[in-house]
Each structure stands twice: as structure tokens, then as C-alpha cells.
Amino acid sequence: MLPFRIDFHSGEPVYEQVIYAAKKAILSGVLSPGERFPSVRSLSQELKINPNTAHKVVAALTAEGLLAVHPGVGTVVAPSVPGSAEDRAQVLVQDTERLVVEASRLGLTEEQLLNAVRKHWRKLNPSP
Amino acid sequence: MNAIECDGLTRHFGNIRAVEKLTLQVPAGSIFALLGSNGAGKTTLLKLILNLLRPSSGQARVLGGDSAKLRADNFQRIGYVAEDVIHPDWMNLSSFLGYHRSLYRSWDSKLESQLRDKFNLPEGIAIKRFSRGMRMKAILLSTLCFRPELLVLDEPFSGLDPQVRDDLIEGILELTAADSPCTVVISSHDIAEIERLADWVGILAHGRIVLAEALTELQFRFRRIEVVGPDVRQQMPDPAPAGWIRAEATTPTLIQFIHTQFNTNTEAELRSMFVNARIQSSQLSLRDIFLATSKSSTSTDGLLT
């Protein structure tokens, strides 16, 4: 079993969707530093994706410093993931963009959008 | 390195031009999806590649040799999976696999037992009594186990339930994940499944190749564009620039089209073309790309069903 799941949707390249799901898992701490990251083979088999795509995903995450290759062990989550608040926010860029685009298409103002977000935030994080 | 190279490949049936002056390269190690409507010539093309049909003119080269000279020995390296190629179908699974095992020098018995576990096929009954899904699994099993260098699948998923499709896909990926990856050519209507599996795509219409390229490049250059702004309809260029398809001013403030030559400068170009407008671009699914390309060629001559 993979430590993250993907509901593939059409319209966005498969590669981007896998990268996004993996980053979310790493930066949100679902996968902790030092933990093994799935091999190219198991990514390909479990997600039923082209092995070249799986390979590109692992290579891109390694190049970004999120994964580290340990000879003999395999690929692991990098010991010190550059998990600043900014990096973690970066994971949500796509979702944020989509939200802003939809809101402006509906003619909402910035204030109305922020209020809607705040309302949801408070629902999930009730202040003591 | 290409696993398949077609050069001016042509096949006529009487006055029906099933495959017409077709030029195509399939890179070695790729999973190449061959898409096209019914009658586009997919099955004819695959049969030409495998020397099951002779070309009227032109040539296909397969694993380095002329396809018209393929002999039994070459088929030690080439696998073909189609609904109607299950022989001998009066055998049960074990005898059937035993028969195929005896034909192929490179038979991988370990892979055989692994796939038999995964595919979970009935042992006691003749293959001709199998359901369509079970039959496709049996054919795939008898083909994957000799680890072909080139695997050609003609509509392997059509009419199968999702579980069987998943099993077939896992079987195919089993082969491509090996150290010496094989080249896979799949014709299919199930574009959503193919989109995850393939890294190269060829679209066929009326016996000709409309496009053939890496999926990542294809999905980069095809974009759905929306231009939103006051009076954009009046700024709409007429005729629409080359590379735009299905361009339409849906409302006075919205223009929609599919850009087929999107690049890193396109958004800036559009911003200078439309004053005070907002440009939104989004990538297309393979299904939408296929539909967009097939709608732009609607001639009906040369159809073969």
C-alpha cells in the first residue's frame, strides 16, 4: 500500500497529480524523515501508471531535496525536509489558484472570499 | 532507437484505403497508445506491422527488420494480444500454458506462477468456455510469460469490467518494469486508462497519422484558453489564427478555444492581442485532445470497419 492515495482526474497530467500527492504527504508529515519512499516499481504498479512517469516523479522529488537516495536502502524521505511554512503553503498553490479563479468567476470580492475561508477554518479549528 | 518504423506504409482493400502513406516511429521502451475512431485503420496497421497482412506499398520495420520478412523465429520476441487469437482453445489453462511454454525459449516460469496467482483463472474447464475477461487474461498470460521485446495489444480492454482491466494493466506493467523494458503498442478506446499507462500517443484518422508524440509534450502544447474581458468578442481575430481550434466568442466578454501550439510566450502574445483581458489556460485530458483532433478531420473516404 502506498502512503498516499490519488483520485486521478482528467485534465491535469498524471505526472503533476502524482508529484502533488507525494509532496502533500511529505510536507504534511504523513511520511516522516528517514522513512522509505515507494520504489519506482511499486508506484507504477500501485497507481497503474507508466514506469517512466513514476521514475520522473522520484527524480524530480529527489532533485528538489524532498527525497534522498541511500545506496542499498532505496529512496527515503530526506532527513531535513525543507518544510518551512512557505514550502508547505506552496503545496496548496494549485488549490488556492483554483479557488481564487472560481471566486472571481462568480463575482465574489476578495473580502467575501476571505470570509468564506475564515468561516470554514473556524468550523474545523474552533477557538477555545 | 525505434522499435517500429513505418515509411509510406499503405494498404488498400479494393478501393478502400485502410492505411494510406503512413509514416510513424515507435520509440523502443515506450508504451505507445494508438488512438482512433472505429474504422480509422488501427487493426490494419497492427496487422501490417506483424506481417499478418502484406502492405500494398511502403514498408514497416520491426525490431530492426522488414515486417514482410518476419518469420516464426522472430515471433519469439514479439507478442500479439487480440480477442480472436487464442489457440488452442479446447485446452484447459494448464495444458494451454504448457503448450505455449514449449514454444518459447525465453519462457519465464517464475513470472507464469506469479501472474497465475494474480489472474486467478479457473483451472478445470476448457478455455473456450471462459468469459471474455478470462480469455483476455489467458491470452495476456501466454504472451507476457515469454517476455517479448515488443508487445502489441489490439483493444485489450474493451468490454471488460474494471477489476479485469486493472489485472491486465498490472500484468503489462510487470513486463515494462523489467531491467530490459519492452516496447508496448496498445490500440484502445479506453482513453482514460491509456492516459495513465502510455508515455507516447499516436492518433490515427482515415488511415493516416494525425499526430504522434510524447504525451507530456502533447499535453503541454494543447491548452484550453479562455479570454475574459470587456468587448473581447469585437477583438476576435477573423479568421482565427493557425493553431486555434473551435474558437468561439461565447458571449461578448468571453472567447474560448483550444490552442494546439501553446508555448511559454503564448500568454504574453494573447495579452497583447486582447486589451484589458484576462487569459486563463488549462491543460487538456487526452480524451479532450483526441476529440479536438478528430473533429477537425471529418472526411469519410477510405473508411474500413
Side-chain angles (χ1 to χ4, degrees), chain B residues 106 248 284 294:
Chain B
S106 56
E248 196 186 351
L284 273 73
S294 58

Side-chain angles (χ1 to χ4, degrees), chain B residues 50 75 77-81 104 143 146 148-153:
Chain B
L50 296 168
F75 285 93
R77 301 161 65 202
I78 302 172
Y80 176 49
V81 174
Y104 293 100
T143 310
F146 68 88
E149 280 171 56
L150 171 64
L151 176 62
V152 177
L153 305 110

Side-chain angles (χ1 to χ4, degrees), chain A residues 96-127:
Chain A
T96 314
E97 190 186 339
R98 210 168 291 152
L99 184 64
V100 171
V101 166
E102 286 306 317
S104 52
R105 201 176 281 189
L106 289 170
L108 296 187
T109 64
E110 185 180 342
E111 201 48 41
Q112 285 168 323
L113 173 62
L114 291 176
N115 280 336
V117 172
R118 268 187 214 111
K119 208 168 126 190
H120 266 279
W121 181 270
R122 284 180 194 143
K123 219 187 265 176
L124 295 176
N125 306 278
S127 43

Side-chain angles (χ1 to χ4, degrees), chain B residues 233-241 244 273:
Chain B
R233 180 188 272 168
Q234 280 163 16
Q235 301 171 55
M236 170 104 161
D238 185 29
W244 293 19
M273 186 183 285

Side-chain angles (χ1 to χ4, degrees), chain A residues 11 13 41 47-48 50 52, chain B residues 170 174 196-197 199 280 283:
Chain A
R41 189 187 159 77
L47 299 173
K48 318 255 183 313
N50 188 290
N52 293 332
Chain B
E170 275 180 39
E174 196 67 52
R196 280 153 67 183
L197 202 53
D199 52 359
Q280 282 166 12
Q283 290 189 310

Side-chain angles (χ1 to χ4, degrees), chain B residues 86-259:
Chain B
I86 188 150
H87 299 294
D89 68 353
W90 49 268
M91 289 183 173
N92 67 21
L93 186 72
S94 291
S95 334
F96 173 76
L97 290 174
Y99 171 75
H100 283 268
R101 198 183 303 125
S102 70
L103 293 177
Y104 293 100
R105 293 189 291 272
S106 56
W107 191 269
D108 183 339
S109 298
K110 207 174 134 214
L111 184 60
E112 180 195 329
S113 66
Q114 188 185 333
L115 289 174
R116 276 172 90 157
D117 281 349
K118 187 184 298 231
F119 284 1
N120 198 20
L121 288 165
E123 297 282 347
I125 58 171
I127 283 172
K128 65 181 166 199
R129 303 204 190 284
F130 277 15
S131 70
R132 187 180 145 68
M134 295 193 289
R135 211 158 55 225
M136 288 309 286
K137 282 184 181 178
I139 302 170
L140 194 69
L141 188 52
S142 69
T143 310
L144 293 177
C145 290
F146 68 88
R147 294 195 172 274
E149 280 171 56
L150 171 64
L151 176 62
V152 177
L153 305 110
D154 192 2
E155 289 290 350
F157 308 128
S158 66
L160 301 182
D161 68 59
Q163 183 56 52
V164 177
R165 286 177 195 208
D166 270 10
D167 287 348
L168 291 184
I169 289 173
E170 275 180 39
I172 295 165
L173 288 171
E174 196 67 52
L175 207 59
T176 55
D179 294 334
S180 54
C182 94
T183 307
V184 181
V185 179
I186 308 183
S187 81
S188 181
H189 284 116
D190 298 271
I191 302 185
E193 240 111 45
I194 282 287
E195 181 167 1
R196 280 153 67 183
L197 202 53
D199 52 359
W200 275 74
V201 177
I203 296 180
L204 198 61
H206 314 301
R208 293 168 191 269
I209 283 289
V210 177
L211 59 83
E213 64 188 288
L215 181 58
T216 46
E217 285 164 31
L218 189 62
Q219 285 188 318
F220 184 80
R221 76 179 172 92
F222 271 76
R223 299 286 176 121
R224 178 172 287 114
I225 307 279
E226 288 188 0
V227 183
V228 188
D231 304 323
V232 289
R233 180 188 272 168
Q234 280 163 16
Q235 301 171 55
M236 170 104 161
D238 185 29
W244 293 19
I245 51 181
R246 288 200 263 157
E248 196 186 351
T250 317
T251 69
T253 57
L254 172 66
I255 292 175
Q256 293 174 300
F257 63 93
I258 291 171
H259 205 306

Side-chain angles (χ1 to χ4, degrees), chain A residues 3-128:
Chain A
F4 49 85
R5 52 183 299 254
I6 305 177
D7 290 317
F8 282 103
H9 56 87
S10 61
E12 201 184 341
V14 170
Y15 167 79
E16 308 275 352
Q17 295 186 50
V18 180
I19 287 270
Y20 178 72
K23 274 190 186 172
K24 218 172 190 170
I26 295 170
L27 293 175
S28 66
V30 170
L31 278 168
S32 29
E35 210 172 313
R36 275 199 65 169
F37 191 78
S39 65
V40 166
R41 189 187 159 77
S42 62
L43 280 178
S44 163
Q45 285 275 334
E46 299 274 340
L47 299 173
K48 318 255 183 313
I49 58 170
N50 188 290
N52 293 332
T53 310
H55 180 80
K56 276 202 296 192
V57 166
V58 173
L61 293 172
T62 308
E64 274 195 54
L66 292 171
L67 299 180
V69 182
H70 285 199
V73 180
T75 311
V76 299
V77 178
S80 61
V81 165
S84 68
E86 200 181 322
D87 280 322
R88 278 175 281 145
Q90 188 66 28
V91 177
L92 288 179
V93 160
Q94 286 177 5
D95 290 328
T96 314
E97 190 186 339
R98 210 168 291 152
L99 184 64
V100 171
V101 166
E102 286 306 317
S104 52
R105 201 176 281 189
L106 289 170
L108 296 187
T109 64
E110 185 180 342
E111 201 48 41
Q112 285 168 323
L113 173 62
L114 291 176
N115 280 336
V117 172
R118 268 187 214 111
K119 208 168 126 190
H120 266 279
W121 181 270
R122 284 180 194 143
K123 219 187 265 176
L124 295 176
N125 306 278
S127 43

